[in-house]
Amino acid sequence: MTNTCLNSSDLYRIRVAVPVHVYDCFDYKVSQVEYDQIQVGARVAVPFGRQHLTGVVTEKLSPDTPIDPRFQLKAITELLDDHAIIDDKVLKLAGWAAQYYQFPIGEVMHTALPTLLRQGKPYNLLARTWKVLDEHAEAKVKRSEKQQEAYKVLKLHPHGTLETILNLSGIETATLKAIEKKGIIRCELENQNFSPEPLQLAQMPLTANDEQKKAIQTILKAQNKYQGFLLDGLTGSGKTEVYLQVMHEVLKQGKQVLVLVPEIGLTPQTVSRFQSRFHCNIALLHSGLNDSKRLQAWQHAQTGKASIILGTRSALFTPMPKLGLIILDEEHDLSFKQHEGFRYHARDVAMYRAHLEQCPIVLGSATPSIDSFSLAQQGKLTHLQLNHRAGGALMPKMHLIDLKIAKKQHGISDTLIKEIQIRLDKKEQVLIFLNRRGYAPVLICESCAWQANCPHCDAHFTLHKKPYEHLHCHHCGTINRVPDACPQCNQQTLKPIGMGTAKVEESLNELFPDHPVLRVDRDSTSRVGSWQKIYDQIHQSEPMILLGTQMLAKGHHFPYVTLVAILDIDSGLLSVDFRATERTAQLIIQVAGRAGRGDKKGEVYVQTLRPDHPLFNTLIHKDYRAFAKATLADRQLALMPPCRYAVLLRCESKNQEDNQRFLTEMTQLLRQHAGDLIDIWGPIPAPMERKAGRYQAHVVLLSQDRAKMHFYVREWWQQVLHYKPSSMKVSIDVDPQELS
Ligand code: ADP
Ligand code: ZN
Ligand code: ZN
């Protein structure tokens, strides 16, 4: 390419990640002064089509880089930061993740920024205070109503007002800047120089037992270099205590620790355990924060003011100048994988980050994912095991109840009813798990077999009775009236089939009228604060029945629960997804782990129609590790992940034939290039073929050679995007967790 005709004003160029759904960065020109000033990792405002967007500088091009003649170079609008706000490691991390997950770099970079910075707001927004310099200058603002208003407000607060507060009351920054030019008000920055607080322990560490000691010492040997650990410890075996003691050593050296948890809202007590151990600045980063809180926490992490950064998956992209350790708790949890848009898995990105930062990473779980278990078996993760409950509590005993032969009332077997009564009489608590909210999953006509189905999905409506009787589709949100009579045969013979938590609540109240039943699901906890209220009640040690969905399975410490009952787990055994048994096993062990955490031994009852299922054979009669070994062996035989790598291409449109035709053409194209390096399954309709009125189909790609497959898929994905009809939606999911 020639560059002899280079216009000298085009010499200085920067490359910018712009938040648009395009897979490349864009080049912009800058003046020489700007070029000298700009740092990679700073934000710039740039024109893009008709919009003005906030991008991040990823590269300063050397003046002799050839210009691509296809594009007309535009100039940046404004340099937003005079220093890099995203460090080199996070830039690399984002670049890698964009490549690996086939997602536009500009959008990945946006994940790394808090909303206010994405919007182009000043970095020091939270420190910007406006003050009046001249209190008698009304004349200078009389031509603009907005300026008059702003000036009046500022005069009320002679010590200054934060810009964010002014913005909230409708006074725009642009207005303030306009008055500033007249010399009658001024913006001051609050002092932002801070030194980290010295680390202090707020609470003494527990005396670690031998297994914990061994784990702690092994992890601590790996400082200042990359090493991955799988902390595989029973529920209640003291994994958190291991994290805390390892963190203490790392914090003592003035380094930062990143702790990732699945969902902060559901397990506030995990957060409070970290907070109550250390007296130091802890930055909380999760989606429940408002924009300025999030910016503040992000800045504390990014400047090094915060020593502990505790967050959900997106906290992973926060710059941290002194990162010395990453901990990812409950590593098996599905919420570490983003299901929409940028479909990254926090576990894998975290491992890559630990590589870049040259620091250790600890993945912890009582039910490790088969993926991590496999890495541990291969020695790519150091396997640390905690095989005893800490503090002397015993593991609960597991029992299976065969629903085919059991006598039952309201779907609950007589054995279970008797056991529940015994526990309640002893003033203990009982936890009943059913992963299905609502009253009943199916409404059927007993005369003609008509079923109430969602008109937009291949799914039954769920019957709800509260706050009023209605039919609700849990997949697309459609709500319908419950018909008085069968719409097909007109008979009044409609009958709910199966049970949801609301129905079981009714039955339990009937069976155990003397004890409270606390229902915990998305319906009963939708109001702010209601979960906390229930939570406090559970910790008051009164005998009661807790009834709930997944929400009850997550890492909670319920010291008075001695009996756990799992009412119906069979749907998880019937699913077509190859990970379904893994998820089911994890759920059973996690729910079971809520039993017997205090000083009384716990028991667990699992009701099933399929007591002979191989899952129970290992899981109930042996343990999770036996299950994991057997499952990994199965995956090896079937050549499924993690024994091969997968990529899923999803396709959605109003017509299933269009999907099939398009995917068939596309798979042919891939086959031409990749030959038999990639095993192609499909196109096949998705397990739920129609959802919200649109048809879904997909293709699964599998290969033993990840790098080569990704190489072919990268090219191919661009072709898919190029050829797809505009009415069709496609998405690519690298290392998919669910084949839905
Ligand atoms: P996990 O994170 O593995 O589920 P936790 O860290 O929550 O386990 O520990 C379970 C219980 O055991 C907690 O109440 C904790 O305080 C207690 N515990 C943990 N380690 C010890 C120890 N070394 N000595 C005494 N109690 C401990
Ligand atoms: Zn009917
Ligand atoms: Zn629906």
Side-chain angles (χ1 to χ4, degrees):
M1 207 180 291
T2 67
N3 56 2
T4 44
C5 58
L6 255 188
N7 185 334
S8 68
S9 68
D10 287 347
L11 277 176
Y12 295 102
R13 282 160 294 146
I14 54 170
R15 195 151 279 173
V16 181
V18 184
V20 288
H21 208 69
V22 178
Y23 285 73
D24 287 318
C25 290
F26 293 84
D27 293 352
Y28 286 88
K29 59 182 175 187
V30 291
S31 68
Q32 186 178 358
V33 177
E34 282 171 330
Y35 186 84
D36 291 339
Q37 204 185 354
I38 284 176
Q39 292 189 1
V40 169
R43 292 171 306 149
V44 282
V46 293
F48 193 88
R50 289 199 196 140
Q51 317 171 62
H52 277 268
L53 300 173
T54 306
V56 174
V57 181
T58 58
E59 211 180 323
K60 286 166 85 169
L61 300 179
S62 86
D64 52 12
T65 319
I67 289 185
D68 189 336
R70 290 173 303 169
F71 303 109
Q72 196 207 337
L73 266 185
K74 288 185 185 170
I76 66 164
T77 317
E78 193 185 349
L79 174 58
L80 295 169
D81 301 311
D82 52 14
H83 62 285
I85 63 164
I86 305 251
D87 66 29
D88 182 46
K89 293 193 178 110
V90 172
L91 281 175
K92 278 208 184 101
L93 186 74
W96 172 83
Q99 273 256 340
Y100 186 86
Y101 291 104
Q102 310 282 338
F103 205 69
I105 174 71
E107 297 192 345
V108 172
M109 206 68 91
H110 250 209
T111 314
L113 291 173
T115 313
L116 290 168
L117 296 184
R118 278 182 216 170
Q119 291 168 346
K121 296 267 166 49
Y123 175 83
N124 46 23
L125 176 70
L126 299 176
R128 285 164 71 87
T129 308
W130 289 88
K131 268 187 194 165
V132 171
L133 292 175
D134 180 351
E135 293 194 19
H136 308 285
E138 270 83 3
K140 292 191 180 164
V141 292
K142 72 168 187 266
R143 294 248 288 281
S144 153
E145 235 174 77
K146 274 190 188 170
Q147 292 186 14
Q148 279 174 30
E149 174 64 25
Y151 184 65
K152 214 161 74 193
V153 171
L154 288 176
K155 276 205 338 188
L156 291 175
H157 304 280
H159 298 295
T161 314
L162 276 175
E163 183 168 303
T164 39
I165 294 182
L166 293 166
N167 289 163
L168 280 177
S169 54
I171 296 169
E172 290 161 20
T173 305
T175 311
L176 295 164
K177 283 189 175 162
I179 317 178
E180 187 185 23
K181 285 202 180 117
K182 299 180 172 156
I184 55 176
I185 65 169
R186 188 173 69 190
C187 178
E188 290 177 357
L189 291 183
E190 253 174 38
N191 184 9
Q192 286 206 98
N193 294 333
F194 35 61
S195 47
E197 300 164 45
L199 175 72
Q200 278 182 322
L201 276 188
Q203 183 191 59
M204 285 311 284
L206 300 168
T207 309
N209 61 35
D210 288 347
E211 285 180 331
Q212 286 173 320
K213 254 188 222 145
K214 189 163 167 232
I216 295 164
Q217 284 164 359
T218 314
I219 299 169
L220 285 176
K221 275 196 206 125
Q223 293 197 58
N224 303 315
K225 64 169 191 193
Y226 170 80
Q227 191 173 344
F229 298 89
L230 177 62
L231 181 59
D232 170 4
L234 301 177
T235 50
S237 59
K239 294 183 290 297
T240 313
E241 186 60 34
V242 171
Y243 303 150
L244 290 167
Q245 296 199 17
V246 173
M247 283 167 74
H248 187 200
E249 293 303 315
V250 175
L251 292 168
K252 273 203 276 191
Q253 300 167 24
K255 291 187 201 153
Q256 292 174 295
V257 179
L258 170 63
V259 182
L260 295 169
V261 295
E263 284 160 274
I264 280 185
L266 284 184
T267 47
Q269 77 283 13
T270 312
V271 176
S272 65
R273 279 179 75 184
F274 290 100
Q275 285 167 329
S276 50
R277 176 68 56 95
F278 303 108
H279 263 316
C280 67
N281 196 328
I282 302 186
L284 278 189
L285 275 168
H286 57 92
S287 56
L289 301 173
N290 67 29
D291 290 347
S292 43
K293 281 257 163 61
R294 194 173 170 98
L295 174 59
Q296 191 176 37
W298 188 88
Q299 287 176 335
H300 284 180
Q302 186 245 10
T303 52
K305 184 179 185 188
S307 311
I308 300 175
I309 294 85
L310 189 67
T312 47
R313 58 173 187 253
S314 65
L316 194 49
F317 291 95
T318 310
M320 289 163 223
K322 298 177 295 186
L323 184 57
L325 169 70
I326 303 178
I327 289 168
L328 198 134
D329 191 26
E330 308 288 357
E331 69 87 33
H332 64 279
D333 198 294
L334 203 50
S335 34
F336 282 121
K337 168 93 177 176
Q338 183 145 307
H339 294 280
E340 283 291 318
F342 174 30
R343 295 179 161 81
Y344 66 100
H345 200 306
R347 190 205 303 139
D348 296 321
V349 181
M351 282 169 51
Y352 193 76
R353 177 145 193 194
H355 253 294
L356 286 173
E357 306 270 359
Q358 285 299 304
C359 75
I361 174 168
V362 182
L363 312 177
S365 176
T367 52
S369 62
I370 302 298
D371 294 356
S372 300
F373 188 78
S374 165
L375 291 177
Q377 297 271 297
Q378 296 167 52
K380 291 183 185 164
L381 291 174
T382 306
H383 202 165
L384 304 169
Q385 303 184 2
L386 304 179
N387 295 317
H388 303 279
R389 275 196 159 168
L394 292 169
M395 280 307 277
K397 189 165 167 33
M398 309 267 268
H399 310 269
L400 274 183
I401 296 177
D402 185 348
L403 277 180
K404 290 194 303 286
I405 52 173
K407 269 209 200 138
K408 48 191 180 280
Q409 301 172 51
H410 306 285
I412 305 173
S413 62
D414 282 356
T415 320
L416 194 49
I417 294 174
K418 209 177 77 209
E419 290 295 331
I420 295 173
Q421 192 62 57
I422 293 174
R423 303 294 164 157
L424 293 173
D425 290 344
K426 288 204 269 184
K427 307 234 174 301
E428 295 166 6
Q429 295 179 353
V430 172
L431 186 153
I432 298 189
F433 175 83
L434 178 66
N435 211 10
R436 199 186 295 126
R437 66 197 174 90
Y439 189 82
V442 189
L443 183 68
I444 194 169
C445 170
E446 286 192 309
S447 312
C448 73
W450 173 87
Q451 300 180 358
N453 289 336
C454 173
H456 311 296
C457 303
D458 290 328
H460 297 304
F461 268 130
T462 298
L463 176 67
H464 285 254
K465 292 213 163 170
K466 283 181 182 159
Y468 57 93
E469 204 174 61
H470 65 280
L471 296 169
H472 187 189
C473 174
H474 287 182
H475 304 282
C476 73
T478 299
I479 289 180
N480 267 13
R481 217 172 54 77
V482 180
D484 299 327
C486 171
Q488 191 164 278
C489 71
N490 239 337
Q491 305 265 38
Q492 291 195 321
T493 44
L494 294 177
K495 191 183 168 205
I497 300 285
M499 51 190 187
T501 45
K503 166 96 183 293
V504 175
E505 180 182 21
E506 209 177 84
S507 312
L508 289 170
N509 276 321
E510 216 171 282
L511 290 167
F512 308 99
D514 302 332
H515 293 95
V517 176
L518 256 64
R519 180 162 62 89
V520 181
D521 57 25
R522 259 202 290 149
D523 299 318
S524 74
T525 55
S526 57
R527 258 181 299 134
V528 181
S530 44
W531 178 211
Q532 188 59 45
K533 232 166 97 189
I534 294 177
Y535 200 81
D536 293 343
Q537 215 173 331
I538 298 172
H539 284 82
Q540 274 166 8
S541 86
E542 293 297 308
M544 66 177 79
I545 301 177
L546 313 173
L547 162 68
T549 54
Q550 285 227 52
M551 290 181 73
L552 277 184
K554 306 225 169 189
H556 303 294
H557 188 63
F558 299 139
Y560 309 109
V561 169
T562 54
L563 175 74
V564 163
I566 299 175
L567 290 191
D568 176 10
I569 202 78
D570 291 350
S571 56
L573 303 176
L574 298 171
S575 165
V576 294
D577 198 316
F578 73 91
R579 280 201 179 84
T581 46
E582 176 183 349
R583 303 268 173 246
T584 308
Q586 288 164 344
L587 200 55
I588 293 175
I589 299 296
Q590 292 292 341
V591 180
R594 303 313 115 210
R597 292 176 74 98
D599 44 17
K600 298 199 182 90
K601 185 172 161 78
E603 304 220 29
V604 179
Y605 287 82
V606 181
Q607 297 197 144
T608 176
L609 285 166
R610 307 189 54 192
D612 48 350
H613 192 284
L615 167 104
F616 295 125
N617 202 7
T618 46
L619 195 66
I620 307 267
H621 303 308
K622 296 179 191 137
D623 57 10
Y624 183 83
R625 225 170 274 148
F627 164 80
K629 272 195 193 128
T631 306
L632 188 56
D634 287 348
R635 302 263 184 95
Q636 251 144 9
L637 277 179
L639 290 173
M640 291 306 279
C643 306
R644 283 200 292 182
Y645 299 97
V647 173
L648 181 71
L649 180 73
R650 292 193 180 85
C651 174
E652 177 197 311
S653 77
K654 287 211 165 124
N655 189 324
Q656 189 62 297
E657 277 151 30
D658 290 351
N659 292 343
Q660 294 279 347
R661 195 175 327 111
F662 178 69
L663 288 178
T664 306
E665 281 169 19
M666 287 298 115
T667 45
Q668 276 162 1
L669 193 67
L670 180 63
R671 206 165 265 131
Q672 277 167 21
H673 289 284
D676 47 15
L677 183 101
I678 301 177
D679 198 359
I680 303 177
W681 290 12
I684 37 173
M688 185 183 292
E689 196 173 346
R690 199 170 47 111
K691 199 167 161 184
R694 292 172 66 89
Y695 289 86
Q696 333 272 328
H698 63 226
V699 173
V700 186
L701 313 176
L702 290 159
S703 178
Q704 235 132 10
D705 190 331
R706 170 159 55 180
K708 279 205 184 120
M709 170 164 74
H710 283 199
F711 169 79
Y712 286 116
V713 167
R714 193 164 303 136
E715 294 269 302
W716 179 65
W717 171 234
Q718 293 302 322
Q719 291 173 317
V720 171
L721 289 172
H722 177 76
Y723 289 118
K724 101 185 162 61
S726 58
S727 58
M728 192 177 274
K729 265 206 218 152
V730 289
S731 63
I732 194 160
D733 192 346
V734 175
D735 304 332
Q737 291 296 305
E738 289 172 301
L739 298 182
S740 57

